[in-house]
């Protein structure tokens, strides 16, 4: 019987963040369906979500800031990266204890799961990174060298690098990697995004990184969304969502209400997140439904346009469904994603300070009414689907299982 068809114990590691967990869920569900035992090391807040895939949640306590307090991430680069190292150092003993006597046959891990490659090395099992966003390309290190040099020039930056290297040394990883390469240069990586969203895709090492595209599947557990029965067949649907973290933007939502409220032949699904009360929006016309949360993929499958923060999850879901996007990025990689979607000809990058009601309306209508945008969106949808998605990812994982 081929090794790939024998049940194996596969361990997945991630942090408690939707943008890092959601892309892996369908891969995990597929591996479980193929008969493998999958344990998923995750903080308690995501236990039910993981259990829904059929995997076994293996709980550990995290010190990372949560979506409830996005401001805790700070404003400087060092503010953003220190918490991941702090969390990894305190998480590793928890994970070692949890897996003692139950070591896996193979390790899967998100780019933020720093302990995972250390554990795989300790257990002498294969490890595959699952990247939910863009990966390094040939010449990447030279291009970011200036940023790293600036960081190392500060006392706090030097302390960060010294502590990180000492942690790697302690766990016999010094000859295998360093702080800058641990996440960016894995031994093997499946990239869970369409190759079209990857900068300098022609310079990515294909022997390390394999693009499998969006890994989507049945998300009925998240609920469903249906077009209102009264909508004419030619009415268009617009989804507005800024994701799950940086959503405390009542002024932006009011601009959206002004832009599309009462607009003939348009129906708007407006997600406002957990921080904003609907009363802060003022009077909302009948063609706009307001929710704290919506099953995004279910709406996108029926949408004609998407106003998004351009997180990688939302960006690739928009591409996978051929939906043109107006991008209003809030933080981190969202600015680069917005630029990429605009360069692909299926999006508009609209800076938040310029996202007035008039600008939002003009951007959406210009995209939707342009047949060339529709043609490009359909071509990118087909291209992404051809990359294999969930099944190809699971095939590649099974092929890496040891004999």
């Amino acid at each position: 019987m081929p090794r790939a068809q024998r049940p194996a114990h596969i361990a997945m590691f991630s942090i408690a963040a939707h943008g890092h967990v959601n892309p892996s869920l369908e891969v995990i569900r597929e591996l479980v369906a193929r008969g493998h035992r999958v344990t998923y090391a995750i903080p308690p807040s995501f236990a039910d979500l993981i259990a829904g895939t059929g995997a076994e949640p293996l709980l550990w306590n995290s010190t990372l800031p949560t979506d409830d307090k996005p401001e805790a991430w700070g404003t400087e680069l060092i503010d953003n990266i220190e918490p991941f190292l702090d969390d990894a150092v305190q998480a590793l003993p928890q994970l070692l204890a949890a897996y003692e006597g139950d070591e896996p046959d193979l390790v899967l891990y998100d780019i933020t799961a720093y302990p995972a490659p250390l554990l795989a090395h300790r257990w002498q099992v294969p490890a595959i990174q699952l990247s939910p966003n863009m990966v390094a390309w040939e010449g990447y290190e030279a291009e970011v060298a200036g940023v790293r040099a600036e960081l190392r020039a500060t006392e706090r930056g030097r302390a960060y690098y010294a502590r990180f290297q000492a942690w790697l040394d302690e766990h016999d990883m010094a000859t295998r990697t360093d702080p800058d390469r641990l996440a960016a240069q894995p031994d093997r990586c499946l990239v869970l995004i369409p190759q079209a969203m990857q900068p300098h895709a022609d310079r990515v090492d294909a022997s390390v990184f394999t693009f499998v595209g969006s890994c989507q599947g049945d998300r009925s557990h998240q609920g469903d969304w249906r077009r209102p029965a009264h909508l004419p067949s030619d009415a268009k649907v617009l989804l507005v969502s800024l994701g799950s973290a940086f959503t405390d933007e009542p002024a932006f939502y009011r601009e959206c209400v002004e832009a599309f409220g009462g607009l003939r032949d348009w129906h708007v699904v407006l997600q406002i997140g957990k921080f904003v009360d609907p009363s802060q929006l003022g009077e909302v016309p009948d063609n706009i439904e307001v929710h704290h949360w919506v099953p995004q993929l279910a709406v996108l499958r029926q949408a004609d346009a998407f106003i998004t923060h351009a997180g990688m999850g939302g960006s690739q879901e928009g591409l996978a469904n051929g939906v043109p996007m107006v991008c209003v990025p809030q933080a981190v990689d969202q600015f680069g994603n917005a630029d990429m979607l605009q360069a692909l000809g299926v999006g508009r990058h609209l800076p938040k300070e310029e996202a007035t009601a008039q600008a939002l309306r003009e951007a959406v209508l210009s995209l939707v009414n342009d047949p060339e945008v529709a043609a490009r969106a359909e071509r990118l949808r087909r291209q992404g689907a051809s990359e294999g998605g969930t099944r190809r990812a699971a095939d590649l994982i099974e092929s890496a299982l040891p004999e």
Side-chain angles (χ1 to χ4, degrees):
M1 188 176 187
R3 181 64 183 88
Q5 295 180 1
R6 297 177 190 165
H9 177 194
I10 300 171
M12 172 67 192
F13 298 82
S14 189
I15 60 169
H18 285 285
H20 292 271
V21 171
N22 289 350
S24 71
L25 290 179
E26 296 309 319
V27 179
I28 299 305
R29 194 188 311 275
E30 177 69 14
L31 291 170
V32 171
R34 295 185 182 196
H36 300 294
R37 176 187 171 221
V38 182
T39 53
Y40 199 124
I42 195 73
S45 59
F46 276 64
D48 289 345
L49 183 62
I50 299 305
T53 68
E56 304 171 30
L58 192 149
L59 304 183
W60 59 278
N61 295 314
S62 174
T63 59
L64 288 175
T66 66
D67 285 349
D68 292 328
K69 294 184 177 180
E71 69 279 0
W73 285 106
T75 57
E76 300 180 20
L77 175 60
I78 189 67
D79 297 330
N80 300 156
I81 63 177
E82 276 184 335
F84 288 106
L85 177 58
D86 293 340
D87 195 46
V89 171
Q90 66 88 36
L92 184 57
Q94 298 182 57
L95 297 169
L96 279 169
Y99 278 99
E100 185 175 4
D102 189 27
E103 292 80 6
D105 299 299
L106 181 142
V107 164
L108 303 176
Y109 66 102
D110 178 72
I111 57 174
T112 57
Y114 294 174
L118 278 66
L119 291 167
H121 177 60
R122 182 187 185 100
W123 297 328
Q124 293 297 291
V125 298
I128 301 176
Q129 184 185 78
L130 302 184
S131 178
N133 49 30
M134 70 175 193
V135 296
W137 55 88
E138 183 182 350
Y140 170 82
E141 292 191 359
E143 293 176 29
V144 300
V147 175
R148 292 172 177 170
E150 289 180 9
L151 186 59
R152 290 177 183 271
T154 67
E155 181 178 352
R156 191 172 164 194
R158 287 191 296 272
Y160 165 82
Y161 273 105
R163 185 180 180 216
F164 206 144
Q165 190 62 60
W167 185 60
L168 295 176
D169 293 347
E170 178 186 354
H171 296 282
D172 193 30
M173 292 289 286
T175 60
R176 296 176 57 84
T177 189
D178 60 50
D180 286 329
R181 298 180 71 251
L182 183 68
Q185 297 287 349
D187 294 333
R188 186 75 174 93
C189 176
L190 303 184
V191 193
L192 309 182
I193 68 170
Q195 191 169 358
M197 287 298 294
Q198 170 65 41
H200 310 295
D202 60 328
R203 290 157 53 190
V204 172
D205 186 349
S207 69
V208 174
F209 301 100
T210 301
F211 290 87
V212 297
S214 297
C215 294
Q216 300 180 9
D218 178 18
R219 294 195 191 173
S220 58
H221 63 284
Q222 294 182 347
D224 197 8
W225 183 85
R226 300 282 183 182
R227 287 172 61 99
H230 68 272
L231 284 186
S233 60
D234 60 346
K236 299 191 184 314
V237 172
L238 168 67
L239 171 64
V240 181
S241 171
L242 297 180
S244 60
F246 299 93
T247 61
D248 192 7
E249 298 289 344
F252 170 76
Y253 301 132
R254 285 193 292 269
E255 294 293 333
C256 292
V257 170
E258 182 181 344
F260 301 99
L263 195 63
R264 187 174 179 272
D265 295 333
W266 277 88
H267 182 79
V268 180
V269 181
L270 176 59
Q271 176 177 294
I272 60 175
K274 65 179 71 174
F275 304 112
V276 176
D277 190 281
S279 65
Q280 294 177 263
L281 306 184
E283 184 175 353
V284 177
D286 292 341
N287 71 317
I288 299 178
E289 55 179 275
V290 179
H291 305 274
H292 289 292
W293 182 88
V294 298
Q296 179 166 288
L297 193 55
V299 181
L300 281 175
R301 286 170 175 163
Q302 303 170 72
D304 299 279
F306 183 20
I307 296 179
T308 172
H309 64 309
M312 185 57 81
S315 296
Q316 64 174 323
E317 288 177 0
L319 284 177
N321 288 280
V323 182
M325 290 167 270
V326 173
C327 306
V328 187
Q330 308 291 304
V332 293
D333 66 332
Q334 297 160 17
F335 299 95
N337 295 339
D339 288 340
M340 181 67 75
L341 290 167
Q342 181 164 283
L344 290 170
V346 294
R348 295 286 187 277
H349 181 174
L350 189 61
K352 185 169 70 171
E353 60 273 14
E354 299 177 18
T356 63
Q358 180 178 348
L360 287 164
R361 182 169 55 250
E362 290 178 352
V364 168
L365 295 181
S366 67
L367 285 171
V368 172
N369 293 328
D370 187 338
E372 292 186 3
V373 171
R376 286 191 291 266
E378 175 60 16
R379 184 172 65 252
L380 288 166
R381 185 194 69 78
R382 291 177 180 273
Q383 179 181 318
S386 71
E387 291 171 345
T390 301
R391 289 194 175 186
R392 186 180 181 209
D395 288 345
L396 291 168
I397 291 166
E398 286 189 324
S399 70
L401 287 166
E403 292 295 335

